[in-house]
Amino acid sequence: MAKGLQGFLWTMLLLFCAIQELGSWAMHTAVEGPGLEQPGDPALLASGRVKRGWVWNQFFVVEEYTGTEPLYVGKIHSDSDEGDGSIKYTISGEGAGTIFLIDEITGDIHATERLDREQKTFYTLRAQARDRQTDQLLEPESEFIIKVQDINDSEPRFLEGPYIGSVAELSPIGTSVMQVMASDADDPTYGSSARVVYSVLEGEQHFTVDSKTGVIRTAVADLDRETQDRYEVVIRATDMAGQLGGLSGSTTVTIVVTDVNDNPPRFPQKMYQFSIVETAPVGTAIGRVKAEDSDVGENTDMTYQVKDEEGVEMFKVTTDSNTQEAVITVQKPLDYESKKVHTVVVEALNKFVDPRFVDLGTFRDQTIVRVSVLDVDEPPEFRPPSNLMEVQEDARVGSVVGVVTALDPDTANHPVRYAIDRSTDAERIFDIDAKTGAIVTGKVLDRETAGWHNITVLAMEADNHSQVSRASLRIRILDVNDNPPELATPYEAAVCEDAKPGQLIQTISVVDRDEPQSGHRFYFTLAPEATNNHHFSLLDIQDNTAAVHTQRVGFNRQEQDVYLLPILVVDSGPPALSSTGTLTIRVCGCDSNGAIQSCNSTAYVVSATLSPGALIALLVCVLILVVLVLLILTLKRHHKSHLTSEDDEDMRDNVIKYNDEGGGEQDTEAYDMSALRSLYDFSEIKGGDGGGGPGEGGPGRNPASELHALPQWVQSPDLDFSVFRDYICRKVEQADEDLSVPPYDSFQTYAFEGSDSPVPSLSSINTWSSGSEQDFSYLGGWGPRFRQLAALYAGRRGEEDSEES
């Protein structure tokens, strides 16, 4: 061992010396040519000497130098240097003067700083040889490179970590899991510093790694997720191709073992017990059971089923997709008295089976479920459950229709009582015996009114009426021939005056409200009162219809325009019933084609001769005329109401204003009382006007004299105020009857001054005395305001006196 280590150290020392020798071997000086002048060379002829230049190799410097002295890199030298120090060497470029220093006399280059190839692999510099006195270039400037020589100073690194991979359980040996890659910053082109190999530090008993590619694979075939579902594997990367002295780095790879369906479902118990009352309705959940499965995800999805025949008939099993439980429900009604305990075999099986693991065993399991039925007090049950009864419609009240039977299913077998739900038989057509369940008729039946009756029968325990059962019962009323046949419609027919014998006039049919089981069969004959009929004949067509034909040649509607033909109709019974119907036959005038032209009935002619379109047009015209008439009447009534309301308003205004006192002689605008006067009959004035000739107020009477003939009110004991009362009553009636004007609820009452007034009234309303009976001389004493009035009446009085004289 000591000898091997000593040999290795000598090898490394020799290698280092060789590298140092290469670094110190600078470009040696040499003559570019043999020094012979070439004929015709202008450069040689002009200068008289041979051209010289730089000759050197590439410089190398080892990275990460840790010595205390500057590291010798190399030497530059010109072939014109004679060693007398007349030439000055300089460098420029990357790191010149800082990292790299040159001896101006000898041309030796040293590195003064520690270099790192991973940061910078080479430096480019330029070398100059100058005359120390004149500082002129003696040689053309030349570029050279100092390359940093790599050493193994960087360990491999896993840059893409952390790594997480997965592999299915029970995967075969060599199954690829994932790949890891390490990166080394050293120079891959020089030596083995960047050559990386991989190995497993931890977890090698379950996984391996390819030393060159870094692919991780399974090392065993029995990885079980249910045992361990995660592995932490440490992978190491070593440079120098794994040789001794190489650097290494490591990373942790997490490998998750994924599930496969390699475990069948298993019930934790081999028997489960549940209980449920016997009255539980169908669909009631009894309980839940669940099979356990060590797998996860969809590999735990399972279905349940009932395996035994008894269980399949009575119970149903469904799978709860959320909890993967088996839900057991009732599929048929339970009965404690029939069976108290039911045994059900429930089987669980995986929904998704992996065929690769079928050889591991059956992926299903079974368990037994015992269901105990609990006894409860149940209502009576109808037996047998027949719901149809029949009864003749002529059955007497109290006749038995049928009997219903109900029994208590409990062990105690309590007595049962019966009743009818009156909401289904509000008219109490049927009754039931509370003890026997016999249903009897309560009223007279009529199939034609109601052919079916639907009632609900109640059965309850005698000592517990809360235990009630209901049964729907349909009662059919059987038909009895109790309705005679009748003509289908009140038939009316028409016959032409020139009809020939045997001509078909009308086909008649009948209706019968009865419905015999064998069907209807009707017979037609002429009624006995028509036996002497020689005009028409009746033929029974044998299909429940009959045809009426003419029996004579021609008819005369002037002699007889209507014939009434009584027809007797008999049904087939039993018992046979009959009725007599009348066929009305009208004699009409027809054209040569037999089309009816006119009959004695206007309605029939219209319906027979006018088409539906013509009838509709006629009706539209009549409707338009009616609308026009109504519109005209409405407008006239509205116009009349408007005039009447205006007249009433004028009358009312004049009467109200007339209640004011006059303004004296300065009031020259008298009220227009002509409208008011025209409504009343002033008998005395009219008598004077309508009297004799011109001198008495006839047509030739002077208008001026009429103007002065203003009567004066003279109170008389026999005054009649009926004219005002009649006027007011008339207005009230007009207001009550006319709905087109607003109502006037206020009426003014007009009265007259009494006899105690010192000044007589000047009003001429309803004055019965003539002008000759009045003396207006007193007007002169009323003052200057009535001067004009006094002159007017005084003048009139003078004219009257002159006429009398």
Side-chain angles (χ1 to χ4, degrees):
M1 183 68 179
K3 290 183 179 181
L5 180 59
Q6 184 178 6
F8 173 74
L9 291 178
W10 276 108
T11 302
M12 292 299 295
L13 181 60
L14 291 175
L15 179 62
F16 179 76
C17 292
I19 293 174
Q20 186 72 15
E21 183 64 24
L22 287 174
S24 62
W25 182 51
M27 178 188 64
H28 61 80
T29 57
V31 180
E32 199 171 85
L36 298 177
E37 296 182 0
Q38 299 296 332
D41 190 347
L44 296 176
L45 296 176
S47 60
R49 66 182 182 86
V50 180
K51 180 181 178 182
R52 296 179 175 86
W54 302 98
V55 179
W56 55 50
N57 291 326
Q58 192 176 37
F59 292 101
F60 294 90
V61 60
V62 179
E63 67 170 335
E64 304 295 343
Y65 173 69
T66 59
T68 58
E69 298 294 331
L71 178 62
Y72 180 75
V73 178
K75 181 182 183 67
I76 61 174
H77 186 72
S78 176
D79 57 356
S80 61
D81 188 0
E82 296 179 356
D84 56 359
S86 61
I87 297 177
K88 181 176 68 174
Y89 296 99
T90 61
I91 59 175
S92 61
E94 296 177 336
T98 56
I99 300 176
F100 302 105
L101 299 178
I102 188 171
D103 190 324
E104 294 181 351
I105 298 175
T106 62
D108 294 332
I109 301 174
H110 292 79
T112 61
E113 295 183 8
R114 183 177 179 179
L115 303 180
D116 188 358
R117 191 204 65 83
E118 285 72 31
Q119 295 183 359
K120 192 171 182 63
T121 57
F122 63 90
Y123 297 85
T124 303
L125 296 95
R126 291 175 297 277
Q128 302 95 22
R130 297 177 180 273
D131 186 278
R132 188 176 294 277
Q133 299 298 326
T134 63
D135 201 30
Q136 292 182 354
L137 288 173
L138 299 178
E139 301 289 346
E141 186 178 69
S142 180
E143 184 179 273
F144 65 96
I145 295 175
I146 299 178
K147 187 174 182 181
V148 180
Q149 191 172 6
D150 182 52
I151 64 172
N152 189 20
D153 60 343
S154 297
E155 72 278 4
R157 296 178 182 273
F158 293 92
L159 303 179
E160 298 179 2
Y163 294 93
I164 299 177
S166 63
V167 64
E169 62 176 331
L170 301 181
S171 295
I173 297 175
T175 301
S176 176
V177 179
M178 64 180 303
Q179 182 180 19
V180 295
M181 294 185 66
S183 177
D184 196 319
D186 292 327
D187 188 2
T189 63
Y190 181 77
S192 301
S193 299
R195 290 181 59 189
V196 178
V197 294
Y198 301 94
S199 59
V200 179
L201 284 182
E202 296 180 11
E204 63 275 5
Q205 65 272 23
H206 296 101
F207 300 94
T208 61
V209 63
D210 190 291
S211 61
K212 296 181 179 180
T213 62
V215 175
I216 301 174
R217 302 180 184 274
T218 56
V220 294
D222 59 350
L223 291 178
D224 187 10
R225 188 203 63 81
E226 289 73 29
T227 303
Q228 184 175 351
D229 62 351
R230 184 183 299 267
Y231 292 89
E232 303 289 339
V233 180
V234 179
I235 303 298
R236 180 175 62 184
T238 306
D239 61 9
M240 296 296 292
Q243 297 179 2
L244 186 63
L247 303 179
S248 64
S250 63
T251 186
T252 300
V253 179
T254 301
I255 300 177
V256 178
V257 180
T258 59
D259 185 58
V260 296
N261 193 9
D262 60 336
N263 293 282
R266 291 289 181 264
F267 285 103
Q269 302 174 211
K270 289 301 179 182
M271 178 176 291
Y272 295 86
Q273 291 189 357
F274 299 101
S275 61
I276 188 171
V277 296
E278 61 176 332
T279 56
V282 173
T284 303
I286 300 175
R288 292 171 174 249
V289 296
K290 183 180 181 180
E292 303 293 341
D293 193 328
S294 301
D295 297 322
V296 294
E298 67 175 11
N299 295 324
T300 62
D301 293 348
M302 59 188 73
T303 58
Y304 298 89
Q305 59 186 6
V306 178
K307 294 299 294 181
D308 61 311
E309 294 182 359
E310 178 190 359
V312 170
E313 182 181 359
M314 298 298 298
F315 302 98
K316 180 181 179 182
V317 176
T318 57
T319 304
D320 189 330
S321 59
N322 296 324
T323 61
Q324 296 300 315
E325 293 177 316
V327 183
I328 306 171
T329 57
V330 178
Q331 186 164 277
K332 275 191 175 182
L334 303 174
D335 186 12
Y336 172 81
E337 288 72 24
S338 299
K339 191 170 186 178
K340 299 178 177 59
V341 178
H342 296 270
T343 302
V344 184
V345 178
V346 179
E347 182 180 64
L349 61 156
N350 278 129
K351 186 181 295 185
F352 307 105
V353 178
D354 195 332
R356 296 177 299 173
F357 308 108
V358 174
D359 55 348
L360 296 179
T362 58
F363 284 79
R364 59 183 64 198
D365 193 20
Q366 293 182 352
T367 188
I368 298 175
V369 178
R370 296 189 61 187
V371 180
S372 300
V373 182
L374 304 179
D375 185 28
V376 295
D377 190 6
E378 299 175 89
E381 294 179 356
F382 286 92
R383 298 177 183 175
S386 175
N387 61 349
L388 176 62
M389 294 183 179
E390 295 179 345
V391 61
Q392 296 284 344
E393 67 173 320
D394 59 349
R396 297 181 180 181
V397 175
S399 300
V400 176
V401 179
V403 179
V404 294
T405 304
L407 299 176
D408 184 8
D410 297 324
T411 307
N413 194 15
H414 297 95
V416 179
R417 296 294 179 262
Y418 303 92
I420 294 178
D421 186 353
R422 288 305 173 186
S423 63
T424 61
D425 185 25
E427 299 180 1
R428 295 183 174 271
I429 299 176
F430 300 97
D431 294 322
I432 189 170
D433 188 291
K435 294 183 178 180
T436 63
I439 298 176
V440 298
T441 57
K443 288 185 178 181
V444 176
L445 304 177
D446 185 11
R447 189 204 64 82
E448 288 72 30
T449 302
W452 288 87
H453 295 273
N454 297 321
I455 63 174
T456 300
V457 179
L458 309 179
M460 62 200 78
E461 294 181 3
D463 55 351
N464 185 7
H465 288 183
S466 62
Q467 297 295 332
V468 181
S469 295
R470 298 173 179 269
S472 296
L473 184 63
R474 301 171 64 219
I475 300 177
R476 179 184 179 183
I477 309 301
L478 300 179
D479 184 48
V480 173
N481 192 25
D482 56 350
N483 293 281
E486 299 174 352
L487 294 182
T489 60
Y491 286 102
E492 288 191 5
V495 61
C496 295
E497 289 183 301
D498 57 350
K500 298 178 181 180
Q503 182 176 341
L504 176 64
I505 298 175
Q506 181 70 44
T507 301
I508 61 176
S509 60
V510 297
V511 293
D512 193 336
R513 298 175 61 190
D514 295 323
E515 291 183 0
Q517 295 181 356
S518 59
H520 289 291
R521 178 67 180 94
F522 302 110
Y523 304 94
F524 300 86
T525 61
L526 291 178
E529 57 267 26
T531 54
N532 297 326
N533 169 59
H534 302 292
H535 307 294
F536 305 97
S537 63
L538 180 67
L539 176 63
D540 191 342
I541 307 178
Q542 305 295 324
D543 62 350
N544 293 336
T545 62
V548 178
H549 297 82
T550 57
Q551 200 173 355
R552 54 175 279 188
V553 178
F555 294 88
N556 189 349
R557 57 177 170 170
Q558 294 181 355
E559 296 178 358
Q560 185 175 354
D561 60 351
V562 176
Y563 292 89
L564 300 179
L565 185 64
I567 300 174
L568 179 66
V569 184
V570 183
D571 62 14
S572 57
L577 301 179
S578 64
S579 68
T580 301
T582 301
L583 172 63
T584 302
I585 304 175
R586 301 183 185 276
V587 180
C588 302
C590 304
D591 58 11
S592 59
N593 296 324
I596 297 176
Q597 297 296 321
S598 62
C599 295
N600 60 320
S601 176
T602 303
Y604 187 85
V605 172
V606 171
S607 63
T609 58
L610 293 181
S611 64
L615 289 175
I616 294 175
L618 182 60
L619 291 176
V620 170
C621 292
V622 173
L623 181 61
I624 292 175
L625 290 176
V626 172
V627 172
L628 289 175
V629 171
L630 292 177
L631 181 61
I632 292 172
L633 292 176
T634 303
L635 292 175
K636 290 184 65 178
R637 182 175 181 182
H638 177 71
H639 182 65
K640 180 179 178 182
S641 302
H642 181 68
L643 294 177
T644 304
S645 61
E646 290 181 354
D647 294 342
D648 293 345
E649 184 177 359
D650 294 338
M651 292 297 175
R652 187 162 43 256
D653 290 345
N654 285 323
V655 172
I656 293 173
K657 291 180 180 179
Y658 185 76
N659 196 32
D660 298 335
E661 291 288 345
E665 61 183 5
Q666 295 180 355
D667 187 7
T668 60
E669 298 179 0
Y671 295 103
D672 183 11
M673 304 300 295
S674 60
L676 187 60
R677 290 195 185 101
S678 65
L679 297 177
Y680 305 102
D681 183 13
F682 300 98
S683 58
E684 293 184 0
I685 299 176
K686 287 185 178 180
D689 293 341
E696 297 179 0
R701 189 172 182 180
N702 189 5
S705 64
E706 292 181 1
L707 179 62
H708 291 286
L710 296 175
Q712 180 182 5
W713 172 261
V714 178
Q715 186 164 347
S716 175
D718 56 350
L719 290 178
D720 186 6
F721 296 98
S722 61
V723 62
F724 292 99
R725 183 168 55 253
D726 294 341
Y727 168 74
I728 292 174
C729 292
R730 196 157 50 248
K731 287 298 182 180
V732 171
E733 292 178 358
Q734 291 179 1
D736 290 340
E737 295 176 358
D738 192 355
L739 302 179
S740 63
V741 298
Y744 293 97
D745 296 336
S746 176
F747 295 91
Q748 300 293 335
T749 302
Y750 302 94
F752 302 93
E753 293 183 358
S755 60
D756 295 335
S757 176
V759 179
S761 174
L762 297 179
S763 175
S764 61
I765 300 178
N766 204 14
T767 301
W768 292 359
S769 61
S770 63
S772 61
E773 298 176 357
Q774 300 185 29
D775 184 9
F776 298 100
S777 59
Y778 59 89
L779 293 176
W782 283 11
R785 298 183 62 185
F786 295 93
R787 185 179 302 164
Q788 185 177 357
L789 183 63
L792 178 63
Y793 279 87
R796 173 187 173 90
R797 184 62 178 173
E799 292 178 0
E800 292 178 354
D801 293 341
S802 63
E803 290 178 359
E804 291 177 359
S805 63

